[in-house]
Amino acid sequence: MTEPQDPHGPGDWQRLDPRMLLVHPVQETVRLLPVLLGLLVAGTASGARGWQLLGLVIPVVVGLLRYWTTSYRVGGGRVELRRGLLERHVLSTPVDRVRTVDLTASPVHRLLGLVTVRVGTGTASTDGDERLDLDGLPAADARRLREDLLRAARAARPDDPDEPSGPHDPDNPDDPGRGPVPAAPPVLTFDPTWARFAPLTSTGLVIVAGLVGGTVQLLDALGGFRRVDAGSWAERVAGVPVLLAGAGALVGLAVATSVLAVTGYLVANWGFTLGHADRAWHLRRGLLTTRETSLDDARLAGVTLGEPLGLRLAGGGRLAAIVTGLGDGQESSSVLVPPAPRAVVGSAARAVLGAAGPVDVPLRPHGPAATRRRWTRALLPALLVTAACLPLATGSAWWWLPAVAAPLVAAALAADRARGLGHALVDGYVVSRYGSLYRRRHVLAVGAVIGWNIRATWFQRRAGLVTLVATTAGGRQAVAVLDVPEADALALAARASPALVEPFLYDRPATGRSAQWPTSTPSSRT
Amino acid sequence: MTDAPTTSPLLREPRHRVSPRARLMWQVTALVEGAVTIVVLLLVGLAVDAVDVRWWMVVAAVAAVLGWVAVVPQWRYAVHRWEVTETAVHTQTGWWAREQRIAPLSRIQTVDRAEGAVARLFGLATVTVTTASAAGALEIDGLDRRQAVALVAELTARADAVEGDAT
């Protein structure tokens, strides 16, 4: 039913699955819940009956309208979606622009056997109205549609390498019970013990910050602060030393953060599997809302191994894909491995890249000049902090803390940042690593490099260093090789893209500073 | 660039300088911007009682602007270069921070010629060559207008000759 009847002409406009008639009203009710509660309270207070019912009718009607006004069609080389009652939207995208096809299913969807199909194109738009979401197709149809779209997208691209990659079985579309499963044997399956890494990422902190902020706002709104009697609190706390109370609060906060982070991690990543089938990587995860992502092999430009400091110290890491045409804003579509042990991340990266070198090979360090630069850049601001704090230290001893801590932290940071620098060109991938608080090892296929930027400030030129940037059409749009000696940078660029870079190279004369080129404004170009 | 006695290959500069009128344009722009900034600061300083405007502050500001006008456009003109070969576009921009960019013609997405109001006064234009990467646009500022038109035509023709969507 969801298949294009005629691959050459546009199909008929179709409605989504009628079961969405059940989903939309529920979703709208949940979305309008604060308003409904307000109505309920107001209605009860004013004594008027019946108004509360109206509050329920609105979301139901909105939900029903959403179903009746939404339709889609696939065919004629396009995917089109039409929706909206007052403001009509018609979204249309050529099939060959389809980069990813995501399937998500909220608990309500899963109960009814439905799936939302999100067709990802390379658009930079973040507007929710401009997303091509087919919200509500039967699970089997959705999966068939995904395969059709990905296959059509591949067929429409002339530059696609034809050989099937990876020693994986062709798909066998059997899906047992509730959940869709990648057809091929998964490369990676979830292990609940990975959740131990969750508190070490920033997600937990964000959750707690949000909760604390929300609670404070709520208390404030209810006038809670005025009712809290500061005097009685001071008396109760007086028995306990301030430091102990502070430590207790910190431990409590840490525990709360950890629990929340672990819970969030398990909810988001439960049942995580990564597999390869039909020339695409398929990823599936989620405890309540399941999410399936497919990344086309031809669009997979590389990977980024991320090691935030906390994860790194605990021996963990995470893996993201650099997908051509998928920008930084669509990060959730490019996750390959959530925080997990380094060995797991490494083996997944090797499998995805089809080569072990980029993950394992020791990187070429950037030498003493780069190290010196890391130290000066870290220490100078820290020493300024110290200089600013010292005069204040005569007034209060507390100022000694930042005055001493700043240079120490800066020194540790500088040493670690210097150690992290490195690059390599191996198995057809450009590899670059940098950073300390968030260390990343970028691996980018040479074929995905669409240009080179070589940048140097006056200070860098004096130190003989440059920052080499390989631009690409995915992820963060560029992979930087930070503070690399100029000769190394050019050697790397020239070996990676000889046809592009070599015409612009010259052999440095042993004595001269730079070669002379005709400098007049040209009347003719070569 | 260090003078280390090595024979490792280096990246040469692009062949062509931009139009010499660009230097003048940058000087005039910098002068006008500097003058406007000083006047605005002066007016704010005179209007707000808390700030005590001294004559040496004005002199210092004027000296800074004049120094900037004397040095930076000249420096920038010495650095700005461009070249188009059979296979690639190569640009060099900046002054304090210097950046060379190389992009293959086969990856060009758009070629854009822009003439700002000031640039038109000087008969200049800016050509921007974008690739599929947001980090990879090549900009040639201060090109002679006729040259810019010809360059755009040439680049467009060459980019058209490439199949695929250049990502």
Side-chain angles (χ1 to χ4, degrees):
Chain A
M1 161 189 167
T2 60
E3 273 175 314
Q5 281 84 6
D6 171 16
H8 301 295
D12 291 328
W13 287 100
Q14 305 175 34
R15 290 248 154 72
L16 297 160
D17 192 274
R19 277 171 285 184
M20 290 310 289
L21 285 169
L22 292 173
V23 179
H24 281 315
V26 173
Q27 281 179 336
E28 292 299 329
T29 310
V30 170
R31 187 183 301 170
L32 292 175
L33 206 55
V35 181
L36 292 181
L37 284 180
L39 272 180
L40 196 68
V41 171
T44 316
S46 67
R49 301 264 158 186
W51 285 99
Q52 297 96 317
L53 276 180
L54 189 69
L56 262 180
V57 169
I58 293 171
V60 171
V61 171
V62 170
L64 296 183
L65 276 179
R66 174 160 297 180
Y67 173 77
W68 293 114
T69 54
T70 307
S71 52
Y72 76 100
R73 67 177 173 187
V74 181
R78 306 188 78 80
V79 188
E80 288 168 284
L81 176 67
R82 202 160 64 162
R83 69 159 167 248
L85 176 66
L86 298 177
E87 196 185 347
R88 295 290 283 169
H89 282 273
V90 182
L91 290 149
S92 171
T93 192
V95 163
D96 62 341
R97 289 294 145 86
V98 171
R99 325 281 207 194
T100 58
V101 181
D102 286 8
L103 307 184
T104 54
S106 73
V108 183
H109 282 82
R110 282 173 59 184
L111 214 64
L112 297 168
L114 296 175
V115 169
T116 302
V117 180
R118 170 166 295 175
V119 180
T121 58
T123 176
S125 167
T126 50
D127 191 348
D129 271 350
E130 281 157 32
R131 281 207 213 104
L132 228 167
D133 286 0
L134 307 181
D135 190 359
L137 290 180
D141 287 356
R143 221 154 299 123
R144 209 173 312 129
L145 177 65
R146 174 179 65 185
E147 275 158 34
D148 288 346
L149 282 178
L150 290 178
R151 203 166 295 142
R154 251 195 312 265
R157 281 195 303 268
D159 55 337
D160 186 33
D162 257 337
E163 28 84 49
S165 50
H168 300 281
D169 296 329
D171 54 323
N172 50 333
D174 60 321
D175 16 89
R178 53 165 222 182
V181 179
V187 171
L188 193 61
T189 46
F190 189 64
D191 180 348
T193 59
W194 296 350
R196 68 180 185 274
F197 292 107
L200 303 170
T201 60
S202 52
T203 332
L205 272 181
V206 171
I207 296 173
V208 165
L211 276 184
V212 168
T215 314
V216 167
Q217 261 189 352
L218 196 65
L219 276 179
D220 198 32
L222 299 174
F225 286 124
R226 264 173 285 137
R227 279 182 225 159
V228 176
D229 184 1
S232 76
W233 276 95
E235 267 168 46
R236 254 178 270 169
V237 175
V240 188
V242 176
L243 274 181
L244 202 63
L250 272 184
V251 169
L253 197 65
V255 170
T257 315
S258 305
V259 170
L260 284 172
V262 168
T263 313
Y265 182 94
L266 289 176
V267 167
N269 296 312
W270 189 265
F272 176 93
T273 51
L274 176 67
H276 189 275
D278 196 19
R279 289 203 271 159
W281 285 93
H282 300 279
L283 201 138
R284 174 179 166 234
R285 58 190 179 136
L287 179 63
L288 301 175
T289 297
T290 58
R291 234 188 117 96
E292 275 184 80
T293 313
S294 298
L295 302 172
D296 197 353
D297 277 350
R299 296 268 171 212
L300 196 72
V303 299
T304 298
L305 284 99
E307 294 180 311
L309 187 62
L311 275 187
R312 185 147 50 96
L313 291 178
R318 62 192 344 163
L319 189 68
I322 301 173
V323 184
T324 298
L326 210 59
D328 214 14
Q330 294 135 309
E331 253 162 11
S332 56
S333 292
S334 61
V335 171
L336 280 178
V337 183
R342 195 177 292 142
V344 172
V345 174
S347 66
R350 279 187 284 269
V352 170
L353 296 171
V359 184
D360 299 326
V361 82
L363 301 180
R364 188 181 165 88
H366 290 185
T371 304
R372 257 198 315 278
R373 202 169 138 76
R374 293 275 80 75
W375 279 89
T376 46
R377 282 173 66 99
L379 276 184
L380 278 182
L383 291 177
L384 278 180
V385 170
T386 305
C389 288
L390 277 182
L392 299 164
T394 50
S396 160
W398 283 105
W399 286 105
W400 282 106
L401 197 64
V404 175
L408 290 181
V409 171
L413 209 59
D416 194 42
R417 277 176 67 81
R419 210 177 313 126
L421 286 183
H423 69 272
L425 178 69
V426 57
D427 297 338
Y429 288 97
V430 176
V431 187
S432 164
R433 185 180 64 187
Y434 56 85
S436 168
L437 294 180
Y438 202 126
R439 178 165 296 172
R440 290 185 172 91
R441 185 181 179 122
H442 295 292
V443 181
L444 183 64
V446 164
V449 175
I450 57 180
W452 293 94
N453 301 349
I454 298 119
R455 185 185 156 85
T457 65
W458 187 74
F459 287 126
Q460 278 179 307
R461 286 199 293 278
R462 260 177 43 131
L465 300 174
V466 299
T467 296
L468 178 73
V469 178
T471 64
T472 185
R476 310 171 141 249
Q477 307 290 309
V479 167
V481 186
L482 206 62
D483 279 341
V484 56
E486 194 181 7
D488 284 6
L490 296 175
L492 175 67
R495 279 203 299 139
S497 334
L500 176 61
V501 176
E502 260 166 17
F504 298 108
L505 296 180
Y506 69 95
D507 284 322
R508 184 200 334 236
T511 51
R513 271 187 65 83
S514 67
Q516 294 301 308
W517 291 98
T519 55
S520 62
T521 8
S523 52
S524 69
R525 283 172 312 280
T526 42
Chain B
M1 292 177 203
T2 54
D3 287 17
T6 139
T7 53
S8 65
L10 281 187
L11 194 61
R12 67 170 168 82
E13 299 187 316
R15 263 172 222 272
H16 313 308
R17 281 182 193 266
V18 297
S19 164
R21 292 196 302 279
R23 185 171 34 181
L24 191 63
M25 178 179 74
W26 290 328
Q27 277 164 348
V28 169
T29 317
L31 196 62
V32 170
E33 281 172 1
V36 168
T37 312
I38 288 179
V39 167
V40 167
L41 284 180
L42 202 61
L43 289 178
V44 170
L46 292 177
V48 181
D49 286 338
V51 189
D52 195 8
V53 181
R54 302 288 176 82
W55 64 269
W56 56 262
M57 290 185 184
V58 180
V59 171
V62 170
V65 167
L66 289 181
W68 180 280
V69 169
V71 173
V72 173
Q74 189 70 38
W75 193 346
R76 186 177 284 155
Y77 178 68
V79 172
H80 273 233
R81 285 157 173 275
W82 63 278
E83 180 174 348
V84 176
T85 68
E86 289 300 313
T87 52
V89 191
H90 184 193
T91 63
Q92 176 173 284
T93 57
W95 51 286
W96 177 267
R98 186 177 296 181
E99 181 155 6
Q100 296 201 16
R101 294 188 166 190
I102 305 177
L105 294 180
S106 58
R107 298 301 183 99
I108 290 179
Q109 293 275 354
T110 66
V111 183
D112 171 44
R113 176 172 60 91
E115 294 172 32
V118 181
R120 268 215 297 276
L121 283 181
F122 292 88
L124 298 174
T126 302
V127 171
T128 308
V129 178
T130 66
T131 63
S133 168
L138 290 84
E139 194 177 291
I140 312 169
D141 194 10
L143 270 182
D144 180 81
R145 204 165 117 229
R146 264 172 310 166
Q147 208 172 8
V149 172
L151 179 62
V152 168
E154 181 187 341
L155 286 175
T156 314
R158 289 197 186 169
D160 277 350
V162 181
E163 298 216 339
D165 67 354
T167 58

